[in-house]
């Protein structure tokens, strides 16, 4: 998949374009991408996603994001998009009038534009579907998708994650929620307890569920089952959020390696224990529960 940072970077050829933040690439986003690909085939042009980094609501509302830009680009490529324009969403970009954004779109020579029904653009969200019709002969508006009586929206996925409900998030995403981070040096408490952990550093603002989880971990040198703890470690009076993963049947060094952690099952919430011996015993029970939860996962 080709990636650009502005419409002006790409060749001067016709396109089919989908516009949006695509944060999390949930089932609703996937339906929109399917419409984009269908229009691209119909018009025999590349499928182009015009998206924003960070997602618009991260800047305008201060919410956490579900996908980093590399994670989002990976997902868009996986779902078969030909090209992505990932524009930096800054206060200056958000303040541009709607006509400036329409000029961007004209550069793409869109034969069709695909958006969600709640899409607006430009300063004060002044632009809408009728404006898009001035730059493309066809505008496809995809309704908000529902599942089991609830709307499939990034906001709802964040709510599930805040509650630690990774199964609820999975239903709306159509896959297990994941986070990518680099292994950095921790305080080696897990090693002291006999349960060495990889301490993952993820970008600030990345949404993470709190608690203890059965996880599947992918790295450059292998794939492992494991148990992850995301939280503030109240037993040792922790003050900052930590993301720690114990990999089953692994004894190597992962410092500096990037790992992808997929959250499969929440085992429990975060607890404060009377001491390290009690914590160590609970970690053993968590590991056993995680192995059981993942026994059929290959």
């Amino acid at each position: 998949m080709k990636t650009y940072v502005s419409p002006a970077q790409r060749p001067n050829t016709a396109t089919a374009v989908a516009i949006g933040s695509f944060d999390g690439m949930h089932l609703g986003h996937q339906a929109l991408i399917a419409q984009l690909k269908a229009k691209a085939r119909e018009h025999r042009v590349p499928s182009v996603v015009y998206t924003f980094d960070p997602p618009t609501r991260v800047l305008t509302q201060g919410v956490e994001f579900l996908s980093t830009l590399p994670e989002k680009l990976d997902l868009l490529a996986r779902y078969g998009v030909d090209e992505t324009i990932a524009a930096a969403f800054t206060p200056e970009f958000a303040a541009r009038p709607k006509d400036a954004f329409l000029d961007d779109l004209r550069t793409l020579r869109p034969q069709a534009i695909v958006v969600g029904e709640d899409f607006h653009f430009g300063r004060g969200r002044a632009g809408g579907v009728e404006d898009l019709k001035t730059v493309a002969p066809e505008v496809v508006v995809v309704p908000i998708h529902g599942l089991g009586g609830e709307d499939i929206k990034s906001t709802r996925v964040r709510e599930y994650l805040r509650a630690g409900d990774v199964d609820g998030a999975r239903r709306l995403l159509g896959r297990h929620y994941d986070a990518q981070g680099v292994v950095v040096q921790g305080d080696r408490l897990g090693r002291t307890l006999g349960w060495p952990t990889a301490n993952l550093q993820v970008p600030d603002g990345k949404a993470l569920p709190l608690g203890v989880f059965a996880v599947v971990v992918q790295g450059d040198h292998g794939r492992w089952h494991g148990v992850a703890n995301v939280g503030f470690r109240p037993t040792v009076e922790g003050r900052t959020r930590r993301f720690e993963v114990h990999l089953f049947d692994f004894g190597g060094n992962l410092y500096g390696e990037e790992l992808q952690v997929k959250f499969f099952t929440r085992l429990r919430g975060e607890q404060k224990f009377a001491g390290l011996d009690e914590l160590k015993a609970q970690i053993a029970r968590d590991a056993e529960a995680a192995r059981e939860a993942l026994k059929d996962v290959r």
Side-chain angles (χ1 to χ4, degrees):
M1 183 182 71
K2 297 177 182 178
T3 305
Y4 308 97
V5 297
S6 75
Q9 276 194 322
R10 71 169 309 278
N12 184 24
T13 59
T15 64
V17 183
I19 315 167
S21 287
F22 295 97
D23 191 21
M25 281 300 297
H26 54 57
L27 291 173
H29 294 142
Q30 293 168 42
L32 197 151
I33 293 300
Q35 288 280 342
L36 168 68
K37 291 167 63 178
K39 289 300 171 184
R41 288 192 298 270
E42 178 183 330
H43 294 284
R44 298 182 180 180
V45 294
S47 59
V48 178
V49 165
Y50 191 171
T51 191
F52 313 103
D53 179 48
T56 56
R57 289 187 179 182
V58 173
L59 178 68
T60 61
Q61 299 178 17
V63 303
E64 293 184 312
F65 52 83
L66 301 173
S67 302
T68 64
L69 181 58
E71 289 168 347
K72 178 161 58 175
L73 294 177
D74 179 66
L75 288 164
L76 287 168
R78 190 188 313 174
Y79 292 124
V81 172
D82 295 320
E83 303 176 19
T84 296
I85 299 165
F89 193 72
T90 61
E92 292 75 20
F93 189 98
R96 295 196 313 163
K98 68 178 184 179
D99 288 342
F101 188 74
L102 292 172
D103 287 341
D104 284 350
L105 293 179
R106 290 188 181 94
T107 302
L108 300 175
R109 295 173 53 189
Q111 303 304 295
I113 294 176
V114 184
V115 293
E117 67 176 50
D118 57 351
F119 178 72
H120 292 275
F121 61 93
R123 183 171 57 233
R125 292 169 54 84
V129 170
E130 293 304 312
D131 297 291
L132 296 177
K133 292 178 180 178
T134 67
V135 298
E138 183 178 13
V139 177
V140 179
V141 179
V142 179
I144 294 174
H145 277 57
L147 183 68
E150 67 177 326
D151 290 344
I152 301 174
K153 303 180 78 170
S154 298
T155 298
R156 189 71 183 114
V157 177
R158 291 188 196 96
E159 290 171 352
Y160 276 124
L161 292 175
R162 278 197 296 271
D165 186 353
V166 293
D167 191 56
R170 177 194 58 76
R171 289 190 301 104
L172 300 191
L173 293 170
R175 66 183 187 280
H176 295 283
Y177 186 67
D178 68 84
Q180 297 180 16
V182 176
V183 180
V184 297
Q185 183 108 10
D187 55 18
R188 297 178 177 266
L189 176 62
R191 190 175 301 276
T192 301
L193 296 174
W195 295 94
T197 59
N199 185 33
L200 268 68
Q201 186 176 66
V202 299
D204 291 341
K206 168 73 174 179
L208 291 175
L210 298 182
V212 179
F213 304 88
V215 297
V216 173
V217 181
Q218 180 71 51
D220 291 339
H221 301 99
R223 184 173 183 270
W224 306 273
H225 292 179
V227 58
N229 180 78
V230 185
F232 294 85
R233 307 189 305 162
T235 303
V236 294
E237 304 299 332
R239 292 289 182 268
T240 57
R241 186 181 71 176
R242 290 286 190 93
F243 182 12
E244 300 170 315
V245 184
H246 172 75
L247 306 179
F248 299 149
D249 309 313
F250 176 80
N253 185 343
L254 291 170
Y255 289 128
E257 184 167 339
E258 184 172 67
L259 300 179
Q260 178 194 53
V261 179
K262 293 184 178 182
F263 295 88
F264 273 69
T265 304
R266 189 177 197 245
L267 304 175
R268 62 176 176 88
E270 192 168 39
Q271 297 173 243
K272 182 172 183 177
F273 297 97
L276 294 182
D277 287 342
E278 186 176 328
L279 172 60
K280 181 177 179 179
Q282 182 60 53
I283 293 173
R285 291 191 290 271
D286 294 338
E288 182 178 354
R291 287 185 184 274
E292 177 64 22
L294 298 169
K295 66 180 180 181
D296 295 324
V297 177
R298 298 291 178 262

